Amino acid sequence: MCGIIAYSGAQQALPILLNGLKQLEYRGYDSAGICINHRKRLKIARSAGKLAALEGILPDAMKGQCGIGHTRWATHGAPTEQNAHPHTDAAGSLALVHNGIIENTDQLRALLVEKDIEFRSETDTELLAHLLSLLMTEQQLNLVDAVRQMAAQLVGTYGIAVTSVAAPDEIVLARNGSPVIIGIGENEMLAASDKAALSRYTRDIVHLDDGEIALLTPQGFEVTTLDATVKTKPTTKLTGPIESYEKDGHPHFLYKEIVDQPETVSRTIGGRLDHQFNTAKLGGLNLEPRELLGVKRIKILGCGSALYAGMAGAQMIESLSRVPADAEAAAEFRYRNPVIERDTIYIVVSQSGETFDTLAATREIQRKGGFVLGIVNSVGSTIAREVNGGIYMHAGPEVSVASTKAYTSMLMVFKLFALMLGRTRDISPQRGAVLLESIQGMPDKINEVLTLESRIAEIAGQYCGVQSAFFVGRTTAWPVALEGAQKLKEISYIHAEAYPASELKHGPLALVTEQTPCIVIVPDDELLAKSIGTIEEIRARNAPVIVITDAQDPRINTLATHVINTPPTETLLQGVVSGVALQLFAYHSAVALGRDVDQPRNLAKSVTVE
Ligand code: F6R
């Protein structure tokens, strides 16, 4: 998704802006640009493609201590130089970068056409630059008041940074729905859409909230609302190491994030296992045991892989606590005017904590009086700040667009939550102890799966030329199948579909031939015989079958084309180990096909638009 960086201070702005954009690269983008405000002139460089292309066309002299930069992920208009940000007004007196989508563009365009303004791009952002300029010239407004007036006219989502020749050391920011974070330095101020771009320069940050405007100068900042009321904003301290995104010698961020999982899962469960009462300790829930006892239903909401983790989480919760639970796509939920129940806990799941649909669902539930818990990775993100209680994943920054370590940490958080809820009800201390032990053993199990890499890579290499693949699983293996198909399609571009095993014969079996490998996930559970029946059903159509299993049944070896034996694992955590095996399968398929593994086409990290 688009990224914003802004700087005003004592240092040269260009290297800081470029470095900030580099830290935002992981979000996915297709063009980039920079503007430096110096000596009453705006110097602008923009380019389609990656940052290296932008660096290649930078003029020799781009001096100046105030500027803005942007990485664009195309929504309105193709990823060209003309559509790249920053955009300027006709006179070139101000430049603006924007994340989000403006919805009332027809109305704004008509207003500008009436003033004979000509457009140079297909973007909604350019309209904002012209509109601001009109407000400044016709109504004699300063930049911050003009942004305020403009914001009042906008429908849609935006995170905006503007700089103008009229005030060469000022940056004005505005937010509605797209994150904007201020970084406080000494005699310098920064802003970005993601704290990763700031952490190298400051530890003190301020999150703008929707409907707020900020004026930055090298000396400080002032935040006001749309009605010009001054707001006092709390400063948040960034803790932990500087979020510098390095591959640490690995060929891709995705690979690093896959092999880091024993460590990230350890962090997720660290300090949360209560061996005295054989339950989990989850500090930030903001729910008393009595309230937990009154819960009648759990509803989980998320998007993409977070939704699939939520589906697995619902199974864990229902199985261990006997509280009915299900998961639904956040956007579908919010648009179907859902009934919000007093005794339901709504759980929103998000790695980035900024996914627009998940955030919008959170707000819709809260508006109707519902209680929302967040399972979030990114500390201080919008969802993390807005939910009524929450559990951080502590997986660390996930850089690659495709989710891996955050997905496994989501599963682990659900398992902890399910155990805790279960221990308020059905689960005995003895069973609790067994479940705790299985949770504690997960980093070692993941390590064992990682030792299977060369075999998985070999199989992936054998099948990466296919047009299509099926992923199949029953009950607990069904969300894993969905996630396995998701990983394969998004990074290798091989068409992949997931089906519950029982659904195969209701349609998709028509497509199963010797050309369509079927990846069957077979947990060692009470449905083992049925899963073996599924393998037989597929083999009867001559399709190659790759089985991922922790079962030792000899029939599997006889029937399957390939077997990947994962370590024996408690059924409800089986999705973690087979999930890691499927991540390796997708990764090696994508590498064999020469794909851009970390930034797959058309996809973005942190989807902050609808
Ligand atoms: C897939 C993937 C996406 C995200 C989805 C939600 O690998 O990464 O499907 O899971 O966009 O993102 P978050 O978790 O940030 O809300």
Side-chain angles (χ1 to χ4, degrees), residues 103-117:
E103 287 167 18
N104 57 334
T105 43
D106 288 351
Q107 183 197 338
L108 300 179
R109 201 179 298 272
L111 189 147
L112 295 167
V113 166
E114 248 177 53
K115 308 269 178 188
D116 290 331
I117 287 169

Side-chain angles (χ1 to χ4, degrees), residues 258-266 440-453 456 565-567 569 576-577 580-581 584:
I258 292 174
V259 299
D260 269 357
Q261 288 175 108
E263 168 65 26
T264 54
V265 161
S266 297
Q440 214 164 359
M442 287 316 288
D444 287 344
K445 303 263 179 198
I446 297 173
N447 263 323
E448 280 186 60
V449 181
L450 294 176
T451 65
L452 305 173
E453 182 183 349
I456 295 174
N565 286 112
T566 53
T569 309
V576 176
V577 285
V580 174
L584 286 170

Side-chain angles (χ1 to χ4, degrees), residues 47-343:
S47 164
K50 298 289 178 191
L51 276 183
L54 175 68
E55 286 177 294
I57 58 137
L58 286 177
D60 289 339
M62 238 188 152
K63 286 208 184 98
Q65 291 159 243
C66 176
I68 55 180
H70 193 260
T71 46
R72 173 171 185 259
W73 189 75
T75 53
H76 287 56
T80 58
E81 189 267 324
Q82 288 81 356
N83 289 333
H85 305 200
H87 287 279
T88 58
D89 61 332
S93 63
L94 62 85
L96 180 145
V97 292
H98 161 225
N99 288 357
I101 296 180
I102 303 301
E103 287 167 18
N104 57 334
T105 43
D106 288 351
Q107 183 197 338
L108 300 179
R109 201 179 298 272
L111 189 147
L112 295 167
V113 166
E114 248 177 53
K115 308 269 178 188
D116 290 331
I117 287 169
E118 284 177 22
F119 305 111
R120 292 156 297 184
S121 77
E122 304 157 87
T123 64
D124 48 357
T125 307
E126 188 191 343
L127 304 180
L128 305 186
H130 294 302
L131 187 59
L132 261 185
S133 183
L134 276 185
L135 289 165
M136 289 177 80
T137 48
E138 290 186 352
Q139 297 188 29
Q140 297 295 299
L141 296 176
N142 63 25
L143 185 61
V144 73
D145 287 336
V147 170
R148 195 186 328 281
Q149 281 263 358
M150 176 180 76
Q153 297 178 40
L154 300 182
V155 177
T157 55
Y158 51 84
I160 289 170
V162 202
T163 185
S164 144
V165 289
D169 65 350
E170 287 182 5
I171 307 250
V172 176
L173 311 165
R175 169 185 167 143
N176 186 48
S178 285
V180 179
I181 302 166
I182 299 170
I184 306 169
E186 251 178 55
N187 294 322
E188 60 184 10
M189 296 293 296
L190 297 102
S193 52
D194 184 325
K195 61 183 187 301
L198 302 175
S199 63
R200 181 170 293 219
Y201 301 101
T202 178
R203 304 264 88 190
D204 296 316
I205 60 165
V206 171
H207 293 272
L208 271 199
D209 286 311
D210 286 351
E212 291 180 342
I213 318 283
L215 170 64
L216 308 190
T217 64
Q219 289 73 42
F221 71 100
E222 183 178 69
V223 176
T224 46
T225 56
L226 289 182
D227 63 6
T229 310
V230 176
K231 291 218 30 197
T232 311
K233 299 286 293 181
T235 304
T236 306
K237 266 256 175 279
L238 288 178
T239 52
I242 290 175
E243 284 181 3
S244 162
Y245 296 152
E246 308 292 342
K247 291 180 197 150
D248 295 343
H250 296 300
H252 300 101
F253 283 110
L254 188 76
Y255 187 76
K256 173 177 178 250
E257 285 159 9
I258 292 174
V259 299
D260 269 357
Q261 288 175 108
E263 168 65 26
T264 54
V265 161
S266 297
R267 280 211 301 270
T268 303
I269 60 179
R272 287 171 163 167
L273 308 182
D274 177 349
H275 292 283
Q276 187 187 358
F277 294 107
N278 292 331
T279 183
K281 286 183 283 193
L282 297 168
L285 293 183
N286 298 335
L287 284 166
E288 297 299 324
R290 188 172 246 320
E291 291 171 290
L292 282 174
L293 205 55
V295 174
K296 297 250 168 54
R297 187 190 304 277
I298 306 278
K299 180 89 196 171
I300 300 167
L301 302 159
C303 301
S305 295
L307 170 63
Y308 303 149
M311 289 170 69
Q315 292 178 346
M316 295 179 194
I317 291 167
E318 193 159 307
S319 166
L320 295 184
S321 69
R322 307 311 295 154
V323 175
D326 73 321
E328 187 176 339
E332 293 301 311
F333 177 80
R334 82 181 175 99
Y335 277 127
R336 67 171 174 78
N337 192 21
V339 175
I340 299 301
E341 295 163 310
R342 186 186 296 276
D343 303 327

Side-chain angles (χ1 to χ4, degrees), residues 327-474:
E328 187 176 339
E332 293 301 311
F333 177 80
R334 82 181 175 99
Y335 277 127
R336 67 171 174 78
N337 192 21
V339 175
I340 299 301
E341 295 163 310
R342 186 186 296 276
D343 303 327
T344 296
I345 293 181
Y346 297 87
I347 302 183
V348 291
V349 199
S350 176
Q351 187 286 129
S352 60
E354 303 292 352
T355 300
F356 185 84
D357 285 322
T358 312
L359 176 61
T362 305
R363 290 176 175 167
E364 178 70 358
I365 297 164
Q366 288 175 327
R367 194 187 60 75
K368 289 179 165 178
F371 182 93
V372 186
L373 275 185
I375 297 182
V376 175
N377 193 33
S378 180
V379 176
S381 55
T382 309
I383 294 176
R385 286 181 291 124
E386 294 200 9
V387 286
N388 305 95
I391 311 168
Y392 275 123
M393 296 174 207
H394 298 314
E398 193 177 64
V399 177
S400 194
V401 164
S403 188
T404 51
K405 63 177 185 173
Y407 168 79
T408 48
S409 285
M410 286 170 192
L411 296 184
M412 295 311 298
V413 170
F414 275 120
K415 184 67 195 236
L416 292 169
F417 181 78
L419 169 62
M420 188 214 58
L421 198 61
R423 282 285 292 122
T424 63
R425 294 153 190 256
D426 251 18
I427 298 179
S428 67
Q430 293 74 17
R431 174 128 194 267
V434 173
L435 292 168
L436 268 188
E437 204 179 315
S438 66
I439 293 172
Q440 214 164 359
M442 287 316 288
D444 287 344
K445 303 263 179 198
I446 297 173
N447 263 323
E448 280 186 60
V449 181
L450 294 176
T451 65
L452 305 173
E453 182 183 349
S454 57
R455 178 158 164 66
I456 295 174
E458 197 183 298
I459 302 172
Q462 204 173 323
Y463 292 100
C464 67
V466 300
Q467 294 285 315
S468 201
F470 287 102
F471 288 71
V472 182
R474 274 172 200 279

